[in-house]
Amino acid sequence: MSKPILQIALDVPLARLFDYLSAGQHVQVGQRVLVPFGRRNQIGIVMALADSSEFAIEKLKPITQVFSDEVPLDAEVLSLIKFSADYYHYPFGQALLAALPARLRQVAPAVARKQYCYQITGAGQQVDMESLPKRQRVLRMVLQALQNEGAQSEAALDALSGSARKAAKELVSLGYAVTEQVLAVKRVPAILETPQPALNAEQAAAVASITQEVQTFKAWLLHGITGSGKTEVYIRLMQHVLQQQEAHGAAQHSAQVLVLVPEINLTPQLEARFRARLPQYHLVSLHSSLSESERLHNWQLAQSGAAQIIIGTRLSIFTPIPHLKLILIDEEHDSSYKQQDSMRYHARDVALVRAKRLNIPVVMGSATPALESWYNAMGSQVQGVSATPSQTNKYGLLTLKQRAVSAAQLPKIDCIDTTKVNLQHGLTPQLVSALRLRLERKEQSLLFINRRGYSPVLLCTACHWIAPCTRCSSRLVVHLGQKKLRCHHCGHEQRIPHQCPSCGDADLHPTGHGTQRLEQTLASLLSTARIARVDRDSISRKHALVEILDRVHNQEIDILVGTQMLAKGHDFPNLTLVGVIDTDSALHSPDFRASERLFAQLMQVAGRAGRADKAGQVIIQTAFPDHALFNALRSQDYASYANDLLLEREQVQFPPYVFTALLRAEAHDFSLVQQFLQLAFTGARALSQHVVTYDPVRPQMERLKGMERGYILMHAHQRPALQKLLTQLVYQLRSEPIAAKVRWAVDVNPLEF
Amino acid sequence: MNKLVIQAEVVQIEPLRYTPAGIPLLSVVLRHVSEQIEAGMKRKVECEINAVVLGDLALKGLKQGVQIIAQGFLAKRSLKSTQLVMHINDMKTM
């Protein structure tokens, strides 16, 4: 008799496991089970089998069902999620279930696209072909195939005859064959590999360095300027890892590689490139725009080891990948790797932990690495005020300084002072004439404006009323086409008022520029131009983005207007001009990471210009053309700018020089938030002298979705000291009655505060 | 009390535009010429007045050069402006 008590993780906001009785059913750790919880059944994951429980055994309930057909979650993933839940101070059960595809959280057994395989039975093996009627040609054919060639998949049967599946089912009913459900494995099409482009010296050196140490854990920072061919390095590394494993012989499982990408929008391109170059390997993608059954199917392919290349967004870091041998993180600096609600993990950091535990390399690529990564790669080379000698470079740094297409030059960057020229609807004459020139030359342009909608503000000039969001401390954005005002923070939407609610004036003015207004302005200034707009509104339809991008590639678009969506990854050979409109708000943002982010973003957009043989130009409209950020941008010198920023951070003791955490709280009633934070503040101060705890404050966005918000910032020079404090603090707070009245969460290594 | 009645010639008309909520709006310049009595003495008066017409009235096909009698009220152009704009509520073509 196996151990009768099961410790089960459930999707409930409590940091503990729940004991149930196995009731004689055979259950393994990692298996999905259905258990009674409260008045209904819930899905849980078995975490441990035990002989005893702290509760009386007669009080325990038996589990309802075991999903014994499913492969249990492996210990590696369970412990990774356990580690993350501890580190980010989030209930383990919730973290674990959130990491599963939605279908696996549902009560119904999770079945991906069902596929069957037919196997001959003993009786079938004995059957004399002549005993079957001659006219049942297909039936005889199928039986013969089963007898002579063994198991037949549905696809194989379809190839045999159109009615072969029906015949196979008849054989099953006759007892001559049995079915077995298998995972649908896509047949790898036998297409020819695209020829390998030659690596330049830097790329070759990068590949060589990593492949030398491919058997052990090492974090590599691949710092390559835009267009320097980082993707090609990824491809070579994947080839190396996947081939090497093959060479070890058939006894071993084939290796698997996980590729993390920041955005869903980037997966199709990367996927297409990987498929073209590595057609012999089975590739799946994991992101939220897949249908639930697709997602489950791909997840199971990863779990079974059938998929060798897994491309996914941040959540895929928790996918069970039994033979994981390499993790690649593209655009590692991207903020979308950080989950902003529930368990606030950073996929890059979790990837580093996972790679270390598996003793495999992790390669992080970026043109503008996150300052944390840069700091880890540079180590003591950053000449700080008090450069600690203990700080050695944790990451291997590989630099690509040349563009991969040797004729491609880095674009020329000009800043136009908007205070010195007359703007035409927000555009400088220089930018307009540069656009005209591109039209004449039949080249393409990209205008980058990080604000969707028509205009960011609806202003009454008579009394200076500005349309506010009723639920957030934000302003409503004018969407003129839809005649709507929208809050970009909470999604609140309302009709544009006929008159100012404050003074009654009807002549309200949309003020400032958004993508829609820019598109309209361009259409009136350059009537022959073919313009396309790319923002979240224009690509809400599935495949809309792909269609627009295709039109750009087919030279059916002259000017692209878009938000940061266009900044990353896209490669348009005929695009030679990039215009940047209105970035000044980010230049003076109170957020300490704003300049780092703006620099990264501008480097990215600038990198869209002149990727092939034509020279590119970048025009930035700003009221502060002499800002240090623009100087660094003009010389395309990430390294010196990053080092300057690091110095600044060191002087003010901000990350990466300290470890930070936030305790965020929100409630409809701000006095509850105050009480809670005050309690937490006093508690935290009392708990540790090694952690600096700041007084409760309100974030810039004081109100969001109708909730009044506040937070406490904590920082420490030692990560363990902060972790220890958080563990104790969270434990204390969970038992406080006030904690039940506010929504609160710990955010470890927050992106902004 | 804020009421202005004036006879004037429409000397300038901006293209018809619409407020974000879709209300038609016409900005015009009126030129007024008349003789008035002031302190018992007759004098000439000439002035140009910026005016706006909102709503259905803006769609009545107002033409440059016509004489109208306009009735409305005065308001500042904007919060920090000292310029006045006449808001026309009613008008008759002469």
Side-chain angles (χ1 to χ4, degrees):
Chain A
M1 184 71 195
S2 59
K3 298 180 177 178
I5 293 174
L6 305 176
Q7 296 177 340
I8 292 173
L10 293 175
D11 188 6
V12 290
L14 293 171
R16 48 173 289 226
L17 299 173
F18 296 84
D19 291 356
Y20 284 89
L21 296 172
S22 65
Q25 304 199 66
H26 181 71
V27 184
Q28 286 171 268
V29 169
Q31 211 148 35
R32 236 159 51 89
V33 291
L34 191 64
V35 299
F37 187 82
R39 282 199 210 154
R40 47 192 195 91
N41 280 324
Q42 266 209 5
I43 291 292
I45 306 287
V46 179
M47 290 308 298
L49 310 174
D51 285 316
S52 62
S53 167
E54 54 180 302
F55 300 100
I57 228 154
E58 53 280 8
K59 287 206 173 160
L60 298 183
K61 290 181 193 161
I63 58 170
T64 313
Q65 191 186 343
V66 189
F67 297 98
S68 49
D69 301 347
E70 295 169 15
V71 184
L73 291 170
D74 60 62
E76 190 251 328
V77 162
L78 290 178
S79 90
L80 183 72
I81 297 174
K82 178 82 177 82
F83 169 84
S84 306
D86 288 346
Y87 183 77
Y88 293 104
H89 302 275
Y90 192 71
F92 170 68
Q94 285 187 305
L96 175 58
L97 279 125
L100 301 179
R103 281 280 165 88
L104 291 180
R105 278 175 263 156
Q106 289 161 1
V107 173
V111 187
R113 239 180 313 153
K114 279 189 194 173
Q115 283 246 348
Y116 295 97
C117 179
Y118 293 84
Q119 293 241 348
I120 193 108
T121 58
Q125 207 60 268
Q126 305 292 318
V127 170
D128 180 9
M129 199 58 71
E130 296 311 312
S131 70
L132 294 169
K134 269 217 171 76
R135 60 194 155 74
Q136 293 191 333
R137 206 174 48 84
V138 180
L139 194 75
R140 294 176 69 154
M141 210 159 70
V142 173
L143 183 64
Q144 196 164 21
L146 287 169
Q147 282 181 346
N148 300 340
E149 294 158 35
Q152 298 286 314
S153 70
E154 285 180 327
L157 289 174
D158 289 344
L160 218 56
S161 156
S163 57
R165 283 202 208 187
K166 207 177 133 208
K169 278 181 193 150
E170 201 175 328
L171 288 175
V172 173
S173 65
L174 288 168
Y176 297 160
V178 286
T179 56
E180 189 187 337
Q181 198 186 325
V182 290
L183 264 177
V185 177
K186 260 187 222 144
R187 287 222 164 163
V188 178
I191 46 167
L192 283 175
E193 251 178 80
T194 318
Q196 302 252 40
L199 295 181
N200 67 29
E202 287 174 341
Q203 287 173 314
V207 172
S209 309
I210 300 170
T211 47
Q212 252 174 28
E213 295 182 64
V214 80
Q215 303 288 1
T216 55
F217 167 70
K218 174 138 189 182
W220 296 93
L221 181 63
L222 180 63
H223 173 223
I225 58 165
T226 51
S228 61
K230 291 185 287 288
T231 312
E232 189 54 39
V233 174
Y234 302 153
I235 291 172
R236 296 297 175 99
L237 292 175
M238 287 196 276
Q239 272 176 347
H240 179 87
V241 169
L242 295 170
Q243 275 168 7
Q244 197 189 34
Q245 205 69 21
E246 273 180 357
H248 279 269
Q252 265 192 329
H253 291 281
S254 61
Q256 292 175 290
V257 177
L258 173 64
V259 185
L260 292 179
V261 290
E263 264 184 71
I264 303 164
N265 297 328
L266 290 180
T267 50
Q269 301 168 52
L270 212 54
E271 209 181 310
R273 267 185 87 175
F274 289 169
R275 276 193 206 282
R277 294 290 309 285
L278 306 159
Q280 66 274 45
Y281 301 110
H282 191 169
L283 181 151
V284 297
S285 57
L286 284 172
H287 51 73
S288 56
S289 71
L290 292 176
S291 75
E292 283 309 335
S293 72
E294 278 173 311
R295 185 168 185 150
L296 172 64
H297 182 235
N298 288 351
W299 188 88
Q300 288 177 333
L301 286 171
Q303 188 194 22
S304 70
Q308 289 147 307
I309 303 173
I310 297 113
I311 301 187
T313 46
R314 61 171 179 261
L315 185 60
S316 54
I317 189 60
F318 295 115
T319 310
I321 306 174
H323 314 299
L324 187 58
K325 293 288 176 279
L326 171 68
I327 304 178
L328 300 172
I329 308 175
D330 193 25
E331 310 284 358
E332 64 88 32
H333 64 279
D334 198 277
S335 56
S336 72
Y337 283 125
K338 172 93 177 172
Q339 169 91 3
Q340 296 289 13
D341 53 20
S342 45
M343 182 165 81
R344 295 163 185 259
Y345 63 94
H346 198 299
R348 188 217 308 136
D349 299 345
V350 178
L352 283 163
V353 171
R354 189 168 187 181
K356 188 164 191 184
R357 292 170 157 220
L358 290 172
N359 199 26
I360 59 167
V362 51
V363 180
M364 301 170 278
S366 174
T368 50
L371 278 188
E372 280 84 350
S373 307
W374 184 249
Y375 173 76
N376 282 330
M378 293 302 286
S380 48
Q381 289 175 50
V382 183
Q383 290 302 309
V385 185
S386 61
T388 42
S390 62
Q391 172 63 35
T392 49
N393 32 339
K394 285 197 210 158
Y395 300 173
L397 178 65
L398 302 163
T399 315
L400 306 178
K401 288 185 187 138
Q402 249 113 56
R403 285 204 155 181
V405 180
S406 51
Q409 295 296 311
L410 278 172
K412 186 172 166 291
I413 298 177
D414 298 309
C415 295
I416 311 283
D417 190 340
T418 49
T419 57
K420 298 223 172 92
V421 294
N422 282 326
L423 298 182
Q424 288 177 281
H425 306 281
L427 297 177
T428 55
Q430 287 92 329
L431 182 54
V432 176
S433 56
L435 284 167
R436 285 224 166 84
L437 184 67
R438 294 311 179 295
L439 273 179
E440 280 162 25
R441 286 205 225 142
K442 304 218 177 318
E443 292 170 0
Q444 293 167 312
S445 314
L446 162 69
L447 288 192
F448 173 73
I449 176 165
N450 215 357
R451 201 178 277 136
R452 65 195 170 88
Y454 184 80
S455 80
V457 167
L458 182 67
L459 174 77
C460 169
T461 48
C463 72
H464 283 194
W465 170 85
I466 287 172
C469 177
T470 48
R471 305 168 66 212
C472 312
S473 335
S474 67
R475 289 156 176 187
L476 294 175
V477 178
V478 183
H479 286 251
L480 207 57
Q482 299 75 38
K483 290 214 183 324
K484 287 271 167 31
L485 296 178
R486 286 192 192 138
C487 174
H488 285 186
H489 297 276
C490 72
H492 167 78
E493 190 177 275
Q494 67 181 65
R495 286 172 56 180
I496 298 177
H498 277 90
Q499 54 178 160
C500 168
S502 161
C503 75
D505 188 0
D507 192 10
L508 298 169
H509 292 269
T511 308
H513 293 265
T515 47
Q516 290 176 15
R517 188 172 211 168
L518 188 60
E519 185 187 18
Q520 195 180 319
T521 306
L522 288 170
S524 66
L525 284 175
L526 308 161
S527 53
T528 57
R530 294 161 299 175
I531 302 165
R533 174 166 59 90
V534 176
D535 57 28
R536 215 187 318 154
D537 303 313
S538 75
I539 62 147
S540 53
R541 204 165 41 82
K542 210 178 179 183
H543 307 307
L545 180 63
V546 179
E547 281 164 27
I548 294 176
L549 295 180
D550 280 349
R551 278 163 61 210
V552 177
H553 282 293
N554 297 336
Q555 311 301 322
E556 291 163 28
I557 301 288
D558 301 312
I559 302 176
L560 262 175
V561 174
T563 57
Q564 43 89 21
M565 229 167 232
L566 281 177
K568 277 173 254 167
H570 304 288
D571 204 340
F572 306 121
N574 198 31
L575 195 140
T576 57
L577 173 69
V578 169
V580 178
I581 292 154
D582 195 17
T583 54
D584 291 350
S585 54
L587 222 44
H588 299 106
S589 160
D591 175 9
F592 76 98
R593 253 182 257 260
S595 45
E596 175 190 349
R597 224 166 11 216
L598 179 63
F599 186 79
Q601 200 166 53
L602 291 181
M603 279 283 261
Q604 292 281 358
V605 235
R608 299 310 110 208
R611 287 174 81 89
D613 52 348
K614 292 172 186 153
Q617 186 190 8
V618 179
I619 293 180
I620 299 172
Q621 297 192 169
T622 171
F624 310 92
D626 297 323
H627 196 285
L629 187 145
F630 293 128
N631 288 332
L633 198 66
R634 269 190 289 258
S635 53
Q636 307 249 356
D637 192 352
Y638 167 81
S640 74
Y641 189 60
N643 292 342
D644 287 350
L645 283 182
L646 278 178
L647 267 179
E648 259 178 53
R649 298 268 181 97
E650 186 178 15
Q651 281 159 6
V652 296
Q653 289 296 299
F654 265 6
Y657 292 92
V658 289
F659 297 98
T660 54
L662 291 186
L663 179 69
R664 301 175 187 273
E666 56 178 32
H668 287 291
D669 179 358
F670 184 61
S671 67
L672 292 174
V673 176
Q674 266 178 315
Q675 280 175 51
F676 172 77
L677 287 180
Q678 195 55 44
L679 185 80
F681 170 70
T682 330
R685 276 272 166 105
L687 277 170
S688 173
Q689 278 132 29
H690 303 289
V691 178
V692 181
T693 306
Y694 293 91
D695 288 277
V697 284
R698 305 204 72 172
Q700 229 192 327
M701 185 71 83
E702 291 187 354
R703 217 148 61 94
L704 185 68
K705 298 180 188 174
M707 302 292 263
E708 303 289 343
R709 311 161 76 205
Y711 68 82
I712 295 175
L713 171 66
M714 289 162 271
H715 84 221
H717 288 278
Q718 303 299 327
R719 203 197 294 268
L722 185 61
Q723 280 295 325
K724 189 174 159 221
L725 170 91
L726 288 172
T727 308
Q728 291 173 334
L729 184 65
V730 167
Y731 182 77
Q732 278 181 13
L733 289 175
R734 278 192 180 130
S735 61
E736 293 288 346
I738 182 85
K741 293 180 191 155
V742 296
R743 230 195 270 166
W744 58 280
V746 174
D747 190 349
V748 181
N749 311 332
L751 280 189
E752 55 194 334
F753 48 77
Chain B
M1 182 67 178
N2 179 351
K3 183 171 176 180
L4 175 65
V5 185
I6 198 161
Q7 179 183 337
E9 181 193 348
V10 179
V11 289
Q12 200 181 318
I13 304 184
E14 298 293 317
L16 183 75
R17 64 179 181 91
Y18 289 85
T19 70
I23 302 170
L25 187 150
L26 209 54
S27 292
V28 298
V29 180
L30 306 176
R31 194 219 297 282
H32 166 85
V33 182
S34 67
E35 282 190 338
Q36 301 289 332
I37 309 289
E38 193 175 29
M41 297 173 284
K42 205 151 86 171
R43 59 158 293 180
K44 268 192 174 175
V45 174
E46 265 191 60
C47 62
E48 287 199 349
I49 299 168
N50 292 311
V52 290
V53 191
L54 262 83
D56 291 344
L57 211 54
L59 301 172
K60 289 279 162 67
L62 196 62
K63 293 250 161 34
Q64 204 174 318
V66 297
Q67 285 280 338
I68 56 168
I69 293 177
Q71 183 186 313
F73 59 89
L74 291 173
K76 282 204 286 198
R77 180 176 285 285
S78 65
L79 188 65
K80 287 182 181 153
S81 165
T82 51
Q83 277 184 54
L84 291 177
V85 177
M86 176 182 186
H87 292 248
I88 299 174
N89 279 330
D90 189 26
M91 59 183 179
K92 282 195 211 59
T93 315
M94 297 293 289

